[in-house]
Amino acid sequence: MPLVLGIDTSCDDTGVGVVADGRVLANEVESQTALHARFGGVVPEQASREHLSVLDAVVERALDRAGVSLRDLDAVGATRGPGLVGALLVGLGYGKALAWGLGIPFVPVHHLEAHIAAAVAGAGQDPPFLCLIASGGHTALFAVRAWDAIERLGRSRDDAAGEAFDKVARLLGLGYPGGPALAELAGQGDDHAVSLPRPMQRQEGFDFSFSGLKTAVAIALERDPGLRPEDVAASFERTVVDSLVEVTRRAAERSGLERLVVAGGVAANTRLRRAMDEVGLHATFPPPALATDNGAMVALAAERRIEEAASHQDDALEADAAPYLPLAASGEPSASA
Ligand code: KG4
Ligand code: ZN
């Protein structure tokens, strides 16, 4: 039973997790939300500096929580991309050095593959399945036919779904990152009170678009400053969720993939969970603590790669941080990292 430590420093949270046999023994996340909130968004240099100053302590906390020591580890995984390059370098460099020092394998992990691994871990689910990833940085639909045969069916042409949540939350004065706060406010509002255009309604493919919707909210607020924030939040949330569900339903129908996995920070949204169910898409969602960025998901992805013996690459220590790293090319199946 390999014991794997995983590190994610792709954006603004320092995540370290420990897993064994698909079970999460520790998942420590040091959030930088307060640091970036006053800027209204993530400041990359600040994020890198913060990762650098806290990572060692977060690793120790994760080991303590798991009740293990460094010497017990069998492998170390770290996110190599996509993400902010300075932030990635902190976790990747630390992970490589730790593995090398302990004389154990190092596994460079794709951030989106880690999100998927977190979503399927509890369900013990293997491909084939359709996967919707909706996070702050990405919104895309993948046909995961096998772990090494992933095809991208569609993606957002502009803002990611989580990014739209954050931007509209900002318009409503909810602070940063606003997704969870907006979702909570939406629960108290009338979701038909504000009429907003459904994005890409007349499009046939599997792409998404959310920046026009954000602009529509801004215009509605400008025209009628008396709108109740909870009604705006509920109407916006319904429109985003309807769009995600509609495109996913179409992709499920056309691809013939019956099982659906939803991953990424927006997978924590309860309305999205309910709406998928209502259209008969029985999806596997990650537990909320594993939905947003964390280290356990990296450890889970690394563990799977080790089991497949795919990680025993001599060049793993040479993997560079990759700020732009597609999970799969559009239209043609390709390797998953
Ligand atoms: O996957 P993640 O932690 O980071 C990225 O890799 O981007 O996703 C974070 C995103 C943020 O935009 C956040 O506002 C959104 O997920 N989010 C939510 C909820 N919880 C987190 N959006 C809607 N409803 C939620 N409950
Ligand atoms: Zn993420």
Side-chain angles (χ1 to χ4, degrees), residues 111 115 135-138 162-163 165-166 177-180 183 264-266 268-270 291-293:
H111 184 76
H115 271 302
S135 72
H138 304 267
E163 188 179 357
F165 266 89
D166 295 338
V266 182
N269 186 276
T270 44
T292 46
D293 288 352

Side-chain angles (χ1 to χ4, degrees), residues 87-99:
L88 288 166
L89 280 167
V90 176
L92 186 67
Y94 187 105
K96 285 181 189 176
L98 183 60

Side-chain angles (χ1 to χ4, degrees), residues 213-263:
L213 179 57
K214 168 209 66 195
T215 307
V217 172
I219 291 170
L221 283 168
E222 226 173 85
R223 282 204 186 130
D224 185 357
L227 286 175
R228 296 192 328 145
E230 54 270 45
D231 290 347
V232 176
S235 304
F236 164 78
E237 187 187 50
R238 177 179 62 81
T239 311
V240 172
V241 165
D242 282 358
S243 167
L244 290 171
V245 170
E246 172 53 26
V247 178
T248 305
R249 194 192 53 73
R250 203 158 59 217
E253 218 172 81
R254 306 253 177 95
S255 67
L257 293 168
E258 285 166 9
R259 294 179 307 155
L260 170 67
V261 170
V262 184

